[in-house]
Every structure is written in C-alpha cells, then in structure tokens.
Amino acid sequence: MSARLLVVDDDETVCAYFSTILTGADFDVDTAPSGERALEMLRSHRYDVLLTDLSMAGMDGLALAKA
C-alpha cells in the first residue's frame, strides 16, 4: 500500500508540481490550497505525511502543524 500524503500550499503551481512528482513515485497525493482546507481534510482522512508551505495567508504552516 502506498503512503498517503497531503500537500498544502496557496500556490496552485507548487501543489501541482509536488502532486505530479510524488504520484509518479507511487504515493497517493491529495492537495489543499490553504491551512483551513487542510484541517477539513485531516478531519475526514488519514495521512501518513503532511507537506506544507510555512508562509500562507490565513492559517500558516506552523499553525496547521500545531492544530
């Protein structure tokens, strides 16, 4: 079974890049455009890895990791 990753970044291009690379390496990848959306996804799905941008509008990556 592949590891499941959540990539969080407010830059759509960055999310698409990581999704393409990691999916090609046989990971299951979901993306979120904000910390708030990531929290919603974390409440309803289990992830093995959270990869987040630290500097985002609204909830930043550190606040997301703490939550």
Side-chain angles (χ1 to χ4, degrees):
M1 180 184 254
S2 297
R4 189 164 186 183
L5 286 75
L6 177 58
V7 176
V8 186
D9 199 303
D10 54 355
D11 184 333
E12 185 179 320
T13 304
V14 172
C15 283
Y17 172 78
F18 278 108
S19 181
T20 299
I21 296 299
L22 294 168
T23 299
D26 203 29
F27 292 102
D28 293 327
V29 180
D30 290 331
T31 62
S34 68
E36 293 84 2
R37 177 66 181 126
L39 274 182
E40 293 173 11
M41 295 171 74
L42 287 163
R43 288 185 184 115
S44 60
H45 298 88
R46 292 189 57 100
Y47 293 96
D48 299 300
V49 176
L50 171 66
L51 179 64
T52 183
D53 184 4
L54 291 178
S55 178
M56 296 183 287
M59 177 182 282
D60 66 20
L62 289 177
L64 173 60
K66 288 178 184 178

